[in-house]
Amino acid sequence: MTDAPEIDGMDSYPVSSANFPPDFLDFLKTNHIDPRIYDMHHKLPRYVRILNHTHLSPSQTRHLIDHIQTEANCPVTPVAGIPGFLAIADHSLRLSQLAANKQKQIVGIDVSSGIAVLALSVEPGDNVLDLCCAPGAKLLYLAELVASKEGSNKKGSVTGVDIAPHRAATCRGIITKYAGQNKGHVRIYIDDGTTFDAKAPPSYWWDPAMVQAKMKETSSQGMSKRHMRRQQGVPWFAAHLLSTPYAIGGTDLYDRVLVDAECTHDGSLAHILKYKNWGWDQLETQV
């Protein structure tokens, strides 16, 4: 087995990884990850995304960045190649301290998560499936991207799936707090992503007249709303028009699918280091 690669400059950082459980160290070695990378976490910036950044003019964006920088008392810079993303130099900064977060102008999200979303090349009107959707930052981003552009009648949807009720609740909290009108494009299921089989919403699910017409057609065939809901499965959380029997009775596949497995991004680094306080023996049960 090849040893993990050496990382330049690591000698100057404390090696907290000495406390890692043996199984976790074996996992890192198998995947050629130098465990000392976890000691670099304090050198990483805090990443945020400007909500609905395309609605802002360049001068408005510059004003917002300057305001965040003044409040944060540290450099705040746009992330090259990822529109709307900012790097706040002080990683220890709590976003709840910033007026821009309180006013729902920015939200925390890893750059790697943003890249995953952009890689899908989502278009307005797309129906997107987000498996393992918690904690919901990508779900929120996708809801912006599928929303129709001005003058277009194409309205997309985002279906989030997570197996853990408490994590689905976190997603719901993010969407409810930050999504605004885009909340109407989101539905969440508590389900196992490996067996989830609900199809994408049908065309014009967002048109009340179309929904009413389709429901009358279904009723004339002798099928009750309750029977349809039982057959098709009701979302755990959804706007009204995404929870109608018509909306949940789609038969088409999704235009885009995001499967987010845990990876070695900055959020993972921060999560692992929480076990310093929780106890490294707790990490052992997660490996």
Side-chain angles (χ1 to χ4, degrees):
M1 182 184 301
T2 306
D3 290 336
E6 293 295 324
I7 301 177
D8 293 339
M10 293 296 280
D11 291 340
S12 60
Y13 298 99
V15 185
S16 62
S17 56
N19 297 310
F20 286 165
D23 285 350
F24 185 63
L25 288 172
D26 287 344
F27 168 81
L28 296 177
K29 187 173 183 180
T30 299
N31 290 278
H32 312 297
I33 300 171
D34 191 319
R36 294 173 297 171
I37 196 171
Y38 289 93
D39 293 316
M40 296 186 69
H41 177 257
H42 66 290
K43 290 290 185 180
L44 296 173
R46 181 69 186 268
Y47 293 106
V48 299
R49 182 175 68 84
I50 300 174
L51 294 168
N52 299 300
H53 73 93
T54 57
H55 297 176
L56 301 181
S57 66
S59 61
Q60 289 174 321
T61 300
R62 185 66 258 173
H63 177 75
L64 176 60
I65 293 174
D66 289 344
H67 185 71
I68 296 172
Q69 187 164 263
T70 299
E71 273 201 298
N73 195 31
C74 67
V76 177
T77 55
V79 178
I82 313 181
F85 276 68
L86 304 175
I88 302 175
D90 182 2
H91 190 278
S92 65
L93 181 75
R94 291 184 177 274
L95 295 186
S96 59
Q97 298 172 347
L98 300 177
N101 182 257
K102 295 175 183 177
Q103 296 166 6
K104 302 177 180 60
Q105 294 176 296
I106 61 171
V107 66
I109 181 173
D110 292 334
V111 164
S112 57
S113 295
I115 293 172
V117 170
L118 290 175
L120 291 178
S121 299
V122 173
E123 296 288 340
D126 280 349
N127 290 311
V128 182
L129 174 62
D130 182 3
L131 296 174
C132 304
C133 62
K138 291 186 292 298
L139 201 67
L140 177 66
Y141 193 4
L142 288 166
E144 284 186 24
L145 297 176
V146 302
S148 61
K149 293 181 179 177
E150 188 174 350
S152 171
N153 66 350
K154 294 183 65 178
K155 296 186 180 181
S157 69
V158 183
T159 299
V161 180
D162 205 281
I163 196 170
H166 70 282
R167 290 177 62 78
T170 300
C171 290
R172 178 183 60 187
I174 292 288
I175 296 301
T176 301
K177 182 176 181 179
Y178 292 105
Q181 292 184 339
N182 293 330
K183 181 173 69 173
H185 297 271
V186 179
R187 62 181 185 174
I188 299 173
Y189 286 83
I190 298 176
D191 207 338
D192 185 342
T194 63
T195 57
F196 180 73
D197 60 358
K199 300 297 191 296
S203 300
Y204 297 98
W205 60 263
W206 45 268
D207 184 344
M210 175 65 76
V211 172
Q212 187 176 20
K214 289 294 184 181
M215 292 309 301
K216 285 183 178 179
E217 180 182 320
T218 301
S219 296
S220 68
Q221 296 171 357
M223 187 178 293
S224 69
K225 291 182 181 179
R226 180 176 297 179
H227 179 67
M228 288 179 66
R229 286 177 179 275
R230 219 173 23 240
Q231 269 196 330
Q232 298 153 352
V234 182
W236 176 76
F237 169 81
H240 169 66
L241 288 174
L242 269 177
S243 59
T244 65
Y246 173 63
I248 62 180
T251 58
D252 293 335
L253 298 178
Y254 294 88
D255 300 298
R256 304 283 189 273
V257 179
L258 176 62
V259 183
D260 181 28
E262 183 70 6
C263 55
T264 53
H265 52 70
D266 44 321
S268 294
L269 301 183
H271 182 73
I272 291 295
L273 294 180
K274 290 178 181 178
Y275 286 92
K276 285 184 177 180
N277 299 321
W278 297 347
W280 293 112
D281 57 321
Q282 296 299 314
L283 176 59
E284 187 79 44
T285 65
Q286 304 299 314
V287 178

